[in-house]
Amino acid sequence: MSLSFIPLGVGDAFSALYYSSCLALEAEGQVLLLDCPHPIRKMMREASESSGVHLDVERVSAVALTHLHADHASGLEGLGYFSFFVLQRKMELLAHPSVTRRLWEGHLAAGMECLIEQQGAGPSHKHFEDYFTHTPLHLERSVKHGPFEIECRFTYHHVPTTAFRIRAGGRCLGYSADTAFDEGLISWLSEADLVIHETNYGVHTPYEKLAALPEATRAKMRLIHYPDLFDTSGSVIEPLVQGRRYTV
């Protein structure tokens, strides 16, 4: 019984060095993606090579989605199509209803609603439910998915965004998602055994704010979503390494 994860990407939306931030969580042989940027299969293949853990879409049981910005959700079209055509199954999405409210009409429909399924036939009209199932997350209670138990909390960001506490194998992983510095959120996340927190510019969390936290808080914190110019070697909080396997 254990909870492990591999960062498939650690960068921000503008990175020229890293893939966009995304995690593959594993417990009891089941894989849960935390966010889904493009190119998700290439990200999994390269992480498989570096970590020695086989990762591909057939192992993914669901995606836990924090928000709809492209650097976190742009891989959903490809993931949905691969599941539909190749695996012939629907991909499950775990997300708060505020996060998914505009997912289809505002994000996926333009590329997925018209589908030619047979040569010579006209396009058929598809809907979200043809490709995905949606399991809503709640603020008041946890939601179970296989070995994973997921709690969420809203963060301060441009669009509806949720942080997560994910439990499996007797351990708990906290994930800040994109957010401005929020002491209440850090307190909520600190109940986890390991906390992954973003750091960046603009409406994100400044590194200096995290570096000033108590040592006990920083000791179980890891950084993600950092910019290309971030000094990873000089950080007092350990930055995650893309493609490395970690155990919570």
Side-chain angles (χ1 to χ4, degrees):
M1 295 287 288
S2 66
L3 173 60
S4 65
F5 67 91
I6 300 171
L8 305 183
V10 296
D12 62 8
F14 310 123
S15 180
L17 298 178
Y18 313 107
Y19 289 124
S20 297
S21 293
C22 173
L23 302 178
L25 279 62
E26 184 176 19
E28 299 181 21
Q30 190 164 316
V31 173
L32 172 70
L33 285 186
L34 205 167
D35 283 339
C36 184
H38 181 75
I40 190 61
R41 288 196 71 218
K42 188 172 190 293
M43 294 166 67
M44 285 193 281
R45 182 186 64 79
E46 293 184 12
S48 295
E49 292 176 350
S50 60
S51 68
V53 178
H54 172 66
L55 294 170
D56 206 346
V57 182
E58 80 276 357
R59 290 204 63 209
V60 176
S61 62
V63 176
L65 188 64
T66 62
H67 66 296
L68 295 188
H69 279 158
D71 58 323
H72 297 263
S74 58
L76 287 175
E77 179 181 312
L79 192 75
Y81 271 145
F82 189 89
S83 298
F84 182 88
F85 285 112
V86 180
L87 303 180
Q88 297 185 343
R89 66 175 174 90
K90 298 178 183 180
M91 179 57 64
E92 183 174 357
L93 293 182
L94 306 161
H96 190 277
S98 295
V99 172
T100 57
R101 184 170 294 126
R102 299 188 64 193
L103 175 59
W104 180 250
E105 292 188 359
H107 184 68
L108 296 175
M112 302 185 79
E113 66 180 352
C114 291
L115 187 65
I116 297 175
E117 299 185 73
Q118 190 172 10
Q119 189 170 357
S124 59
H125 194 77
K126 295 296 181 182
H127 304 275
F128 175 87
E129 294 78 13
D130 292 304
Y131 303 101
F132 303 97
T133 60
H134 175 219
T135 298
L137 300 180
H138 302 272
L139 302 178
E140 299 81 14
R141 60 179 175 85
S142 62
V143 171
K144 188 82 170 170
H145 172 77
F148 304 100
E149 187 175 348
I150 305 170
E151 300 171 283
C152 70
R153 182 189 192 277
F154 281 118
T155 75
Y156 186 79
H157 200 43
H158 305 284
V159 298
T161 304
T162 56
F164 294 136
R165 288 190 307 214
I166 301 177
R167 291 179 169 84
R171 303 291 285 174
C172 181
L173 177 68
Y175 188 77
S176 72
D178 287 11
T179 183
F181 181 71
D182 181 348
E183 291 182 349
L185 175 61
I186 289 175
S187 176
W188 185 82
L189 292 168
S190 293
E191 294 185 20
D193 298 293
L194 186 71
V195 174
I196 299 174
H197 205 290
E198 71 112 84
T199 184
N200 215 285
Y201 309 118
V203 185
H204 289 276
T205 299
Y207 165 74
E208 292 75 18
K209 291 282 190 179
L210 297 176
L213 291 171
E215 182 180 359
T217 303
R218 290 187 279 112
K220 64 176 183 179
M221 182 176 284
R222 304 292 182 266
L223 299 181
I224 200 169
H225 202 263
Y226 45 82
D228 286 355
L229 296 180
F230 182 71
D231 182 9
T232 56
S233 61
S235 175
V236 298
I237 304 172
E238 181 183 341
L240 291 178
V241 176
Q242 185 171 291
R244 177 183 294 177
R245 183 176 183 265
Y246 297 83
T247 300
V248 179

